Amino acid sequence: MSKAIQAIRGMNDCLPGETNKWQMVEDVLRRVASNYGYAEIRMPIVESTNLFKRSIGEVTDIVEKEMYTFDDRNGDSLTLRPEGTASCVRAGNQHGLLYNQEQRLWYMGPMFRHERPQKGRYRQFHQFGIESFGISTADIDAEVILLSARLWRELGISEFVTLELNSLGSNEARAQYRDALIAFLEQHQDILDEDSKRRMYSNPLRVLDSKNPDVQALLKDAPSLSEHLDPESKQHFDELCKRLDAAGVSYRINERLVRGLDYYNRTVFEWVTDSLGAQGTVCAGGRYDGLVEQLGGKGTPGVGFALGIERLVLMLTELEKLGNIRSSVDAYIVMAGEQAEITGIALAEQWRDQVKDIRIQCHCGGGKFNKQLKRADKSGAHVAIILGDSEIEQQQATIKYLREKKEQQTVPFDGVAKLLEELI
Ligand code: HAM
């Protein structure tokens, strides 16, 4: 026998049983986004490599070591998208959706990063993201965060997530802070690891979220970003906090929060949890007022977030918040005898016509009555509709309840639709 081909490491199949959890979560995401007036945008999975280099930044983990980049048959360098914001801005610019306009957009789909796979971290993963363009005031930052907070409420996990918030200030303020930070790091080079030393000049803010405990200890004495904030950014941050306070969303200001992508200015935030082990960030985002211009468009402010759907589904599963998922079948038709087999599928068609959204599975492939009943049970159906020769003769079905203690009953064919309606 030849060796079976396996999926690529870090790229997972989503099997039946899992997919209905995903659908439930996706339905909530779509519904809440549309409740806030966001419209869906779908972008290609493959983009020019330059798009991500220019937006995410050359000296970031994603661009330096995580992108799936390849030359296509024309010799063009292409990349499987590692995130959605850059593609969304590219699409917005290309189709004239952004300049002098307001847009509230959402997207959902696979992203690719060549990271070391572990629980909650994959090489193909899925994001749901929203991006809002054209508004520079803090009310839209608040809206974006409130939308995410509503998702947690709808999914029943509000008490398991914490909002961390920071402001990176304007580009000028950040440049000043950058100089101060470099001066500090230069004085303590002996403590820095290789990664931090390498980033010290190219992207010193990234040293702030180094995982190395010695570097973290050193950073306690480092100059803080908040001391360098420009007055406008400070005010913007205050305005945001005021709105979150008024809406009852609590947060923790984390001055070390800088994010791993270079396009942010002012507001940055992450929703973190203890329920997932090491990969504790469920959702992250912020403001990116320079990105549209950086990608060739006319200056348009933007703010948004993306959440990892795998992390969300994992969390919901572990916290047992997905209890009431409807199984994929409501009724299973057991057909014993040739006449029942012929009439059964025609009756099923009739009942599907009559009862919108009912999910009926017909037994196929023949076999003994008991085997068919076992299949019915395995399907997750609420009832088995049993059709034998005597039922066909008398124009009635026997209904057997599979999930509750209830006497089986016979129902005339034209009464079955009513019974099925009650199952939905
Ligand atoms: P990000 O922090 O790189 O931000 O990713 C957002 C979320 O995607 C993370 O918080 C996490 O839940 C999920 N995620 C990231 N990498 C993986 C992975 N390897 N496996 C599983 N889940 C993962 C962005 O992508 C920005 N585009 C967010 C944004 C939108 N900012 C403004 N608008």
Side-chain angles (χ1 to χ4, degrees):
M1 212 162 60
S2 57
K3 199 164 172 259
I5 296 170
Q6 304 281 316
I8 308 298
R9 189 165 125 82
M11 305 203 181
N12 301 314
D13 299 306
C14 192
L15 303 178
E18 267 307 285
T19 44
N20 53 5
K21 293 185 195 170
W22 278 64
Q23 284 167 6
M24 192 221 106
V25 172
E26 288 164 2
D27 284 350
V28 172
L29 300 173
R30 275 195 206 97
R31 179 165 48 75
V32 171
S34 111
N35 288 160
Y36 283 76
Y38 284 70
E40 185 182 6
I41 179 167
R42 300 186 186 189
M43 298 86 68
I45 286 169
V46 184
E47 299 268 7
S48 292
T49 302
N50 274 339
L51 172 66
F52 302 114
K53 287 192 176 168
R54 264 164 69 180
S55 53
I56 299 170
E58 298 263 4
V59 192
T60 55
D61 281 347
I62 297 180
V63 171
E64 277 184 340
K65 43 190 184 195
E66 294 171 0
M67 294 207 301
Y68 280 89
T69 297
F70 59 96
D71 287 345
D72 79 351
R73 288 172 194 276
N74 306 327
D76 298 327
S77 180
L78 306 183
T79 293
L80 301 187
R81 62 181 186 193
E83 59 112 44
T85 311
S87 304
C88 193
V89 170
R90 196 264 316 132
N93 279 343
Q94 185 172 335
H95 302 286
L97 302 181
L98 305 182
Y99 181 62
N100 252 342
Q101 296 168 68
E102 283 177 17
Q103 291 289 349
R104 287 174 166 84
L105 305 172
W106 67 266
Y107 52 84
M108 182 149 60
M111 309 289 163
F112 302 83
R113 296 184 194 176
H114 196 275
E115 297 191 78
R116 201 169 46 76
Q118 63 178 83
K119 181 180 165 192
R121 188 167 72 196
Y122 311 101
R123 289 181 174 170
Q124 175 176 325
F125 59 99
H126 297 75
Q127 281 187 345
F128 164 82
I130 69 161
E131 313 291 355
S132 174
F133 295 97
I135 305 167
S136 57
T137 42
D139 43 6
I140 190 72
D141 306 41
E143 177 182 288
V144 162
I145 292 176
L146 291 177
L147 191 161
S148 58
R150 180 169 299 278
L151 294 174
W152 319 139
R153 279 205 300 286
E154 295 261 339
L155 294 164
I157 54 170
S158 293
E159 57 189 300
F160 304 98
V161 287
T162 308
L163 174 61
E164 301 210 333
L165 202 57
N166 195 19
S167 176
L168 300 179
S170 65
N171 290 343
E172 300 73 42
R174 209 142 33 110
Q176 274 178 22
Y177 173 64
R178 192 175 177 274
D179 292 344
L181 186 61
I182 293 175
F184 171 83
L185 295 173
E186 274 176 340
Q187 283 165 23
H188 300 92
Q189 293 212 37
D190 47 325
I191 301 175
L192 298 182
D193 53 30
E194 282 311 309
D195 238 19
S196 302
K197 271 189 197 148
R198 200 169 46 79
R199 291 191 157 166
M200 186 166 85
Y201 295 107
S202 53
N203 199 349
L205 262 71
R206 294 290 294 143
V207 179
L208 292 181
D209 56 20
S210 158
K211 301 275 180 300
N212 181 328
D214 295 335
V215 176
Q216 271 307 324
L218 168 70
L219 290 171
K220 290 207 170 72
D221 301 322
S224 91
L225 187 56
S226 62
E227 289 161 14
H228 289 80
L229 278 194
D230 51 298
E232 294 79 13
S233 295
K234 244 188 200 144
Q235 196 190 339
H236 186 96
F237 194 59
D238 289 345
E239 301 271 344
L240 168 61
C241 292
K242 248 189 251 166
R243 281 162 178 76
L244 294 179
D245 292 338
V249 173
S250 44
Y251 49 87
R252 195 174 78 85
I253 296 175
N254 173 4
E255 287 200 13
R256 295 256 175 277
L257 184 64
V258 290
R259 309 274 301 119
L261 305 96
D262 281 356
Y263 47 63
Y264 295 110
N265 67 303
R266 293 197 170 162
T267 312
V268 286
F269 65 93
E270 291 191 350
W271 286 96
V272 295
T273 179
D274 293 333
S275 314
L276 283 177
Q279 302 307 317
T281 310
V282 187
C283 169
R287 182 168 272 287
Y288 47 86
D289 295 334
L291 183 59
V292 173
E293 207 169 353
Q294 211 172 306
L295 291 176
K298 287 194 188 156
T300 305
V303 54
F305 71 71
L307 61 82
I309 303 182
E310 281 82 358
R311 291 187 191 178
L312 197 53
V313 172
L314 251 175
M315 219 182 138
L316 290 162
T317 307
E318 291 188 5
L319 295 168
E320 297 179 1
K321 297 286 177 190
L322 291 168
N324 296 327
I325 292 182
R326 196 172 157 203
S327 69
S328 46
V329 180
D330 300 311
Y332 191 99
I333 306 196
V334 169
M335 293 170 278
E338 199 189 332
Q339 198 47 49
E341 280 178 17
I342 295 168
T343 315
I345 51 171
L347 281 169
E349 284 304 302
Q350 200 177 303
W351 294 328
R352 287 186 186 108
D353 285 342
Q354 289 169 340
V355 188
K356 193 170 169 283
D357 289 341
I358 190 74
R359 284 127 0 131
I360 301 174
Q361 194 168 96
C362 288
H363 182 85
C364 287
K368 296 220 168 66
F369 178 73
N370 276 349
K371 182 182 129 194
Q372 293 197 30
L373 258 190
K374 271 196 191 130
R375 289 270 172 83
D377 190 42
K378 206 168 162 217
S379 75
H382 199 80
V383 296
I385 301 177
I386 299 166
L387 302 174
D389 288 340
S390 67
E391 275 91 354
I392 301 296
E393 213 170 278
Q394 292 164 38
Q395 298 283 293
Q396 61 185 22
T398 301
I399 308 293
K400 185 176 167 58
Y401 290 87
L402 300 169
R403 313 280 152 216
E404 60 191 313
K405 276 207 160 55
K406 201 166 165 183
E407 278 293 297
Q408 87 177 25
Q409 50 173 307
T410 49
V411 178
F413 286 159
D414 58 9
V416 171
K418 188 163 176 294
L419 183 137
L420 292 176
E421 251 158 29
E422 284 159 17
L423 295 181
I424 303 179

